[in-house]
Amino acid sequence: MKKSVLVVLVLLFCATLLFAQGGKETGSDKTIETLRVYYVPSREPAEIVTVTAPLKNLLIEELAKSGYTVKNVEITVGTTYEAVGLALSAGTADVGLIPANTFLLYDDGCEVILTATRDGLNVDSDNPRDWNANEPISASDKQAIGYRALMIAGPSAKGRALSDKVNAGQNLSWDDLNSANWSVMSSTSPAGYVYPTIWLMDNYNGKTIGDLAHAVQSDSYGSAFARLAAGQVDVLVTYADARRDQEGKWMETYGRKADIWKETDVIGVTPMIYNDTVSVSKTSKIMTTEFIEALQTAFMNLNKTEAGKKVIAVYSHTGYQKAVSSDYDNERKAQNILKGIQK
């Protein structure tokens, strides 16, 4: 009899313990003492801290909608980009607003959950003919998670020959490209070198900008467009809305007789260059699947209020979309290209 009572008591104790633990899991896991958010120092740290101060209450309010009680939000600006990556890896930071390359350098210790959006363009296509058919390129009210780099042919005889071939639906050969004069930017420029190299590698059996027989480096996109206008180069590589920035100068400063949209065409389009990330620490004690989902929702809701729009504008962000690590595979290629160049 005593043995039976003892067994019953033990079972009751275990059941009570399990119930208590379950209650603790659903209760305390929804309470966050401190959420530590780190920014990279891409602007003056004092300015970032001032502009992002309202983020504390905004996040607390948004996370409460998902059932989380966050008692405190700490905002820190890292001394360097690397310092923020290390903080995420170590778990001393929970959330980091970091560029793609910083995320990739530290992706063993952090996980991307969102990509920032910025104002987009009226064209976003892999096909250069779509860009040429919709000139002039204009701003769009749609938000973009990244931007393209373009290969743009100018008004020289060679430039026109390349454009005509593309617009006729024909594929350019390596000989077509290699016989042209190119303007490129420094080897660390995403739109002016790295992503055009990825485009060449993907479409021309591993060829790179370094394989082009006639490629010269320009010190700015302005000087690159001046060379294109003068016929000194036939093709330049640049970010997708560069012609919008150069539209006024094309005739007024560079002396062309027709506008930039009539005299230039796109002959190649790179893969998407993804925007900045919101990444979370893999070693943070508060980071669960459920809390990550709540964070994603909270950040995506920030652009719904004027206060939130001002906060995210500190990095020229206009909103956020969910992201996964594989979105940044082309950036991984870019990093490998840079490593090869720097050896």
Side-chain angles (χ1 to χ4, degrees):
M1 181 68 177
K2 288 182 181 179
K3 186 175 181 181
S4 298
V5 171
L6 181 62
V7 169
V8 170
L9 288 173
V10 169
L11 289 172
L12 283 171
F13 175 77
C14 290
T16 303
L17 182 62
L18 285 170
F19 177 79
Q21 286 178 338
K24 181 179 180 182
E25 192 170 289
T26 57
S28 65
D29 277 3
K30 291 280 187 175
T31 300
I32 306 295
E33 290 293 332
T34 301
L35 177 65
R36 299 159 299 178
V37 180
Y38 273 57
Y39 281 81
V40 293
S42 60
R43 295 173 64 171
E44 282 295 322
E47 182 183 2
I48 294 174
V49 169
T50 300
V51 173
T52 60
L55 181 65
K56 298 178 181 181
N57 287 332
L58 289 170
L59 281 180
I60 288 171
E61 291 169 5
E62 288 296 334
L63 288 167
K65 295 175 185 176
S66 296
Y68 284 90
T69 300
V70 179
K71 295 183 178 179
N72 183 42
V73 175
E74 287 182 359
I75 296 176
T76 303
V77 181
T79 53
T80 63
Y81 288 47
E82 292 76 14
V84 178
L86 289 169
L88 287 167
S89 295
T92 53
D94 303 307
V95 180
L97 284 89
I98 57 176
N101 61 337
T102 304
F103 156 63
L104 292 176
L105 286 171
Y106 296 94
D107 63 353
D108 285 344
C110 66
E111 174 184 358
V112 61
I113 62 169
L114 295 164
T115 295
T117 62
R118 293 189 171 98
D119 292 335
L121 299 173
N122 66 324
V123 182
D124 179 24
S125 170
D126 295 317
N127 190 335
R129 295 174 70 192
D130 293 334
W131 293 80
N132 298 335
N134 289 281
E135 293 172 345
I137 303 303
S138 59
S140 168
D141 57 2
K142 293 181 180 179
Q143 297 305 296
I145 55 175
Y147 63 98
R148 308 284 190 153
L150 304 178
M151 276 52 71
I152 295 175
S156 68
K158 182 66 177 181
R160 291 299 83 206
L162 295 175
S163 297
D164 290 344
K165 194 169 182 179
V166 166
N167 289 330
Q170 300 174 35
N171 293 325
L172 297 176
S173 68
W174 171 251
D175 288 340
D176 288 331
L177 300 180
N178 198 38
S179 60
N181 294 315
W182 288 66
S183 170
V184 301
M185 302 303 288
S186 73
S187 60
T188 58
S189 170
Y193 194 101
V194 179
Y195 274 76
T197 292
I198 291 174
W199 178 77
L200 288 172
M201 291 172 68
D202 288 347
N203 291 283
Y204 296 95
N205 298 317
K207 297 288 189 182
T208 70
I209 282 178
D211 293 314
L212 290 168
H214 311 287
V216 294
Q217 182 178 321
S218 295
D219 59 2
S220 69
Y221 285 117
S223 64
F225 274 94
R227 285 175 169 172
L228 193 71
Q232 295 172 2
V233 296
D234 308 305
V235 180
L236 61 73
V237 293
T238 187
Y239 56 96
D241 54 350
R243 286 183 294 174
R244 297 179 68 229
D245 294 341
Q246 297 291 326
E247 186 174 7
K249 293 181 180 179
W250 188 254
M251 296 174 69
E252 295 168 13
T253 305
Y254 306 148
R256 298 301 306 178
K257 302 301 181 186
D259 72 44
I260 196 169
W261 306 107
K262 290 180 180 177
E263 294 202 308
T264 66
D265 278 303
V266 178
I267 62 169
V269 184
T270 73
M272 181 76 74
I273 305 171
Y274 273 77
N275 290 337
D276 296 339
T277 80
V278 177
S279 295
V280 297
S281 171
K282 290 181 178 178
T283 55
S284 166
K285 294 179 180 178
I286 66 171
M287 211 54 63
T288 63
T289 301
E290 293 77 14
F291 189 53
I292 287 173
E293 290 175 357
L295 280 170
Q296 287 173 317
T297 301
F299 271 95
M300 288 190 294
N301 284 341
L302 289 177
N303 68 352
K304 295 181 179 179
T305 66
E306 289 305 314
K309 288 177 183 177
K310 289 179 181 177
V311 167
I312 65 179
V314 71
Y315 283 167
S316 300
H317 299 170
T318 56
Y320 299 97
Q321 290 186 19
K322 289 183 180 181
V324 293
S325 181
S326 59
D327 292 339
Y328 290 85
D329 283 348
N330 277 317
E331 186 64 24
R332 290 183 171 89
K333 278 189 187 179
Q335 293 297 317
N336 289 332
I337 289 168
L338 287 174
K339 288 175 185 175
I341 291 169
Q342 291 164 358
K343 282 182 180 177

